[in-house]
Amino acid sequence: MCGIVGYIGKKKALPILINSLKTLEYRGYDSSGIAYMINNEIKIVKDVGKINVLENKINLEVNTYMGIGHTRWATHGGVTINNSHPHRVGNITLVHNGIIENYLELKNKLIDLDYKFIGETDSEVLCALIDYYYNKTENIIHTIEKVIKEIKGSYATAIIVDDDYDNIYVIRKDSPLIIGIGNDENFIASDVPAILGYTNKYILLNDYDIAKISNKEITVYNNGSIVKKDINEFEYENDVVSKQGYNHYMLKEIHEVSSLVRNNLVDNLRNIPDIKKYKNIYIVACGSAYHAGLIGKNMLEELINKPVYVEIASEFRYKKLFLDKEDLVIIISQSGETADTLASLRVAKEYGTTTLGIVNVFGSSIAREASIVVYTNALIEIAVATTKAFVMQLYTLGLIAIKNSNIRYSDVISNYRLLANQVDSILENNIYKEVAKLIYKEKDIFFLGRGIDYYIAMEGNLKLKEIAYIHSESYPAGELKHGTIALIEKDTPVISVITNNIIKDKILSNIKEVISRGAKSIIVATDDIKIDKSYYDILIQVPTNIDVLKPILAIIPLQLLAYEVALLNNCDIDKPRNLAKSVTVE
Ligand code: F6R
């Protein structure tokens, strides 16, 4: 959570900082701020609200050539100007993404040393701690080395030291940070989109790296020595971070699915590992990625005939585990930086267990630390609610299941070729607006499914909640009558997913049970399932395909439905309230 940026070079810094911050707004949008040097002094501008509030407060034409910026997702301390970044204490100005876990203890120590604090954040404490040691050592690298030993938690931090305006210093641990390399200019950012418009070259920092960045040079220290860094190049076009005519990134990203599945046809298969050889297979993830894991469990169990255990990362990392060297832990993450997911990967490695990362963001922490990585190749996803990246997680899990089964890829290649056109036909359907009109004012909505369809329903349910702010629950259809059916009243919308012909009669009976209690029935089903009109008010039919591809075809209508409902409710679709895309805190 939170996004940090920095610039040092020959161009005017403020337009670059503001632009870069806007591309990171998905990481947090409670407040934002920048600090820059002018006339040998640091000036800070910050405010609560989104980046455009900040933008309206500054003159972009100011002659400043270095600065740092921050967009915040509040953790410690409310959404106030004093808690927003940059923070400044003594000679130090900084922006911070992460959490300093022992900040209270450090704060008390610093208060005893006469430091005064104006806000409640851990970041202000970090700033004061750096200032304290800097005053003693007068050497910022030695200072940071000392500070790193004293702080616990996670941080990606950009630091400006008074009177040292030819450099910006950065440190990182467990929070993402990249340094973009330009000609006589360098950039700092939490994520790739922030620097895409300026350079395609960048270096990745490791935990505990300290970098000193001037316009000409980047020096990275770790554990007292200078370390050499590889220079990476992005493969993306800058275009991927524009809306390309769509009103929202979310809609644009759902529409990208057909080209993604078209282009990934053979590519993805090359890197698929053999997973049958492992004794036990676990899948660990959070949120939508966890739902992808559940769907993947079903695909794998069906095709490789082994049990697969799926766990929520924030639970997995603290529970009693029975892992060993013969097991496999599959970690699914779009960002590759989710704190609980990353921690779970590290826990699994402590047992000597092989880890397989299914990750979207190239070079992210999970991608780098997993024993094996398979990229989902969904390209950059900006909307906070994941759509195309989720679909590509399903696509990748399907390929893993097929590659490890008795099915030969050549036997199903025609099905894969069909997929992109099928996705196009789903996108062309106008029915989602119609269904949205029927349900957008509702207070409670239920999603039902059985087997793999229940897991798809869980994801549809999450999408509706997070972007349209409607309370909804997903249920395995057979479980509803064990209590929750008491909530079904006249016209309560019940959205059911049916892609599985074998179990269709069972869920249809459950749908009759809710219809008998007055529910409005909306069904999303593949077109091989024959359903009598008496089971629905609205039927959304999607083309059918082989089992591992059906979840992709069934989830897209639910993503589009959530989008249309959110639109009717005037919600901030790409940046839903209280959320941030990259959850880098526990
Ligand atoms: C929901 C959503 C989240 C993420 C979750 C995991 O739309 O985006 O539930 O799926 O925060 O994030 P990653 O995949 O980056 O680990």
Side-chain angles (χ1 to χ4, degrees):
M1 346 282 279
C2 303
I4 70 167
V5 296
Y7 174 79
I8 185 156
K10 299 243 177 322
K11 297 196 189 106
K12 290 190 177 172
L14 298 193
I16 296 174
L17 292 173
I18 291 291
N19 253 341
S20 302
L21 279 179
K22 280 184 181 165
T23 68
L24 293 186
E25 217 174 1
Y26 68 85
R27 302 180 63 86
Y29 29 85
D30 296 336
S31 59
S32 62
I34 46 172
Y36 57 94
M37 189 274 287
I38 183 121
N39 300 331
N40 271 325
E41 272 187 12
I42 292 296
K43 183 158 172 57
I44 295 178
V45 187
K46 51 189 185 177
D47 209 338
V48 298
K50 302 214 167 108
I51 314 285
N52 54 353
V53 177
L54 175 71
E55 190 177 9
N56 289 336
K57 278 183 100 168
I58 56 176
N59 171 9
L60 293 174
E61 290 311 311
V62 167
N63 289 324
T64 178
Y65 306 95
M66 69 98 80
I68 55 179
H70 188 268
T71 180
R72 180 169 187 243
W73 188 86
T75 56
H76 292 55
V79 181
T80 63
I81 293 204
N82 282 347
N83 288 334
S84 62
H85 302 220
H87 292 286
R88 180 168 169 78
V89 179
N91 291 303
I92 305 297
T93 306
L94 64 69
V95 289
H96 167 226
N97 165 33
I99 288 185
I100 306 302
E101 286 163 5
N102 55 338
Y103 83 106
L104 273 180
E105 181 193 312
L106 295 169
K107 190 170 184 173
N108 289 335
K109 170 179 147 177
L110 288 159
I111 288 171
D112 289 345
L113 292 164
D114 264 0
Y115 276 89
K116 309 253 176 303
F117 293 91
I118 58 168
E120 295 100 51
T121 67
D122 51 334
S123 311
E124 193 185 359
V125 175
L126 174 64
C127 195
L129 189 68
I130 296 174
D131 181 67
Y132 171 68
Y133 282 120
Y134 182 66
N135 288 337
K136 287 182 154 233
T137 64
E138 291 184 4
N139 176 316
I140 188 66
I141 300 293
H142 292 164
T143 295
I144 294 172
E145 281 166 355
K146 264 185 169 316
V147 168
I148 284 177
K149 290 202 181 99
E150 213 165 313
I151 54 180
K152 293 195 184 112
S154 58
Y155 44 85
T157 302
I159 304 159
I160 300 176
V161 182
D162 280 2
D163 299 324
D164 184 1
Y165 299 129
D166 291 334
N167 299 296
I168 299 175
Y169 297 86
V170 298
I171 51 175
R172 81 150 263 182
K173 180 183 167 267
D174 292 345
S175 287
L177 192 85
I178 58 171
I179 303 173
I181 305 168
N183 289 330
D184 291 341
E185 59 182 359
N186 289 309
F187 306 82
I188 297 156
S190 299
D191 198 0
V192 168
I195 56 176
L196 260 189
Y198 308 104
T199 178
N200 70 338
K201 293 194 177 59
Y202 68 104
I203 61 175
L204 295 163
L205 292 186
N206 288 335
D207 281 354
Y208 305 109
D209 277 348
I210 304 169
K212 176 181 179 184
I213 303 163
S214 71
N215 59 353
K216 293 234 185 290
E217 241 179 317
I218 298 166
T219 315
V220 182
Y221 304 83
N222 196 312
N223 216 357
S225 318
I226 293 182
V227 286
K228 206 173 149 1
K229 290 280 164 186
D230 292 335
I231 297 180
N232 302 292
E233 288 195 19
F234 311 124
E235 290 166 17
Y236 312 126
E237 298 294 321
N238 192 19
D239 225 23
V240 294
V241 293
S242 83
K243 287 194 196 139
Q244 292 171 351
Y246 289 95
N247 286 335
H248 297 95
Y249 281 112
M250 181 178 175
L251 194 60
K252 176 210 156 196
E253 286 163 2
I254 298 173
H255 278 81
E256 272 172 47
V257 167
S258 58
S259 68
L260 288 173
V261 297
R262 207 170 259 126
N263 297 337
N264 272 288
L265 212 51
V266 191
D267 254 25
N268 261 350
L269 203 67
R270 269 190 234 125
N271 308 318
I272 303 292
D274 171 8
I275 64 165
K276 283 191 308 294
K277 63 183 181 197
Y278 297 100
K279 194 175 70 191
N280 294 300
I281 300 175
Y282 296 82
I283 301 181
V284 183
C286 296
S288 294
Y290 166 71
H291 298 154
L294 290 168
I295 294 169
K297 161 193 168 72
N298 190 293
M299 294 174 180
L300 290 169
E301 287 180 343
E302 289 294 328
L303 291 187
I304 70 173
N305 231 359
K306 254 178 186 269
V308 175
Y309 309 99
V310 188
E311 305 268 1
I312 291 174
S314 53
E315 295 293 318
F316 181 83
R317 64 182 291 191
Y318 293 116
K319 69 184 275 203
K320 184 170 165 67
L321 295 170
F322 301 90
L323 298 174
D324 68 36
K325 290 191 175 62
E326 291 168 63
D327 294 336
L328 174 72
V329 171
I330 301 176
I331 299 281
I332 306 177
S333 176
Q334 187 286 128
S335 62
E337 300 291 349
T338 302
D340 286 317
T341 315
L342 178 60
S344 299
L345 174 130
R346 290 177 180 163
V347 167
K349 285 174 88 173
E350 277 166 24
Y351 287 82
T353 304
T354 304
T355 52
L356 162 61
I358 298 179
V359 180
N360 192 36
V361 176
F362 175 79
S364 55
S365 300
I366 292 173
R368 287 190 286 167
E369 293 185 31
S371 337
I372 313 163
V373 60
V374 176
Y375 283 106
T376 50
N377 296 334
L379 304 182
I380 292 174
E381 190 177 65
I382 306 268
V384 166
T386 182
T387 53
K388 63 168 181 168
F390 175 78
V391 168
M392 293 311 288
Q393 287 166 351
L394 301 185
Y395 187 90
T396 308
L397 286 158
L399 286 177
I400 295 175
I402 294 222
K403 178 108 180 243
N404 283 277
S405 73
N406 297 329
I407 301 173
R408 280 178 315 180
Y409 187 61
S410 54
D411 294 340
V412 289
I413 182 86
S414 57
N415 299 86
Y416 273 85
R417 290 216 171 102
L418 207 61
L419 183 65
N421 288 346
Q422 293 183 318
V423 169
D424 282 334
S425 76
I426 293 171
L427 296 172
E428 279 157 20
N429 197 338
N430 284 326
I431 198 166
Y432 319 108
K433 280 191 196 313
E434 192 190 317
V435 184
K437 280 188 201 138
L438 202 69
I439 64 173
Y440 78 103
K441 288 197 178 132
E442 298 292 342
K443 293 268 172 297
D444 302 292
I445 295 181
F446 291 86
F447 286 80
L448 302 183
R450 278 178 172 251
I452 198 164
D453 292 337
Y454 165 51
Y455 304 141
I456 300 167
M458 289 171 86
E459 176 60 9
N461 167 39
L462 177 61
K463 286 287 95 82
L464 189 72
K465 269 194 256 210
E466 69 174 329
I467 65 160
Y469 315 149
I470 294 184
H471 170 252
S472 59
E473 289 189 40
S474 48
Y475 261 84
E479 184 64 11
L480 203 67
K481 58 176 147 314
H482 297 285
T484 309
I485 202 163
L487 295 174
I488 303 290
E489 296 175 347
K490 184 168 173 337
D491 288 338
T492 306
V494 175
I495 303 173
S496 310
V497 180
I498 316 180
T499 69
N500 181 346
N501 234 325
I502 298 167
I503 206 154
K504 96 167 185 209
D505 290 332
K506 302 290 168 202
I507 182 162
L508 286 175
S509 305
N510 302 135
I511 291 172
K512 270 286 185 222
E513 289 159 9
V514 293
I515 290 176
S516 310
R517 283 150 186 93
K520 253 188 292 213
S521 165
I522 296 150
I523 299 180
V524 176
T526 43
D527 61 11
D528 55 328
I529 314 257
K530 300 291 162 252
I531 307 173
D532 185 80
K533 279 196 174 62
S534 62
Y535 289 97
Y536 56 82
D537 292 278
I538 298 192
L539 172 65
I540 303 176
Q541 270 197 323
V542 296
T544 192
N545 204 320
I546 49 172
D547 284 350
V548 294
L549 295 179
K550 283 180 186 172
I552 294 179
L553 298 163
I555 194 57
I556 294 173
L558 297 180
Q559 294 173 340
L560 288 165
L561 179 61
Y563 175 84
E564 295 296 345
V565 173
L567 204 60
L568 289 175
N569 283 330
N570 288 321
C571 298
D572 192 347
I573 294 182
D574 286 335
K575 298 183 204 106
R577 69 181 177 212
N578 304 339
L579 299 183
K581 188 160 186 70
S582 180
V583 187
T584 51
V585 295
E586 278 197 47

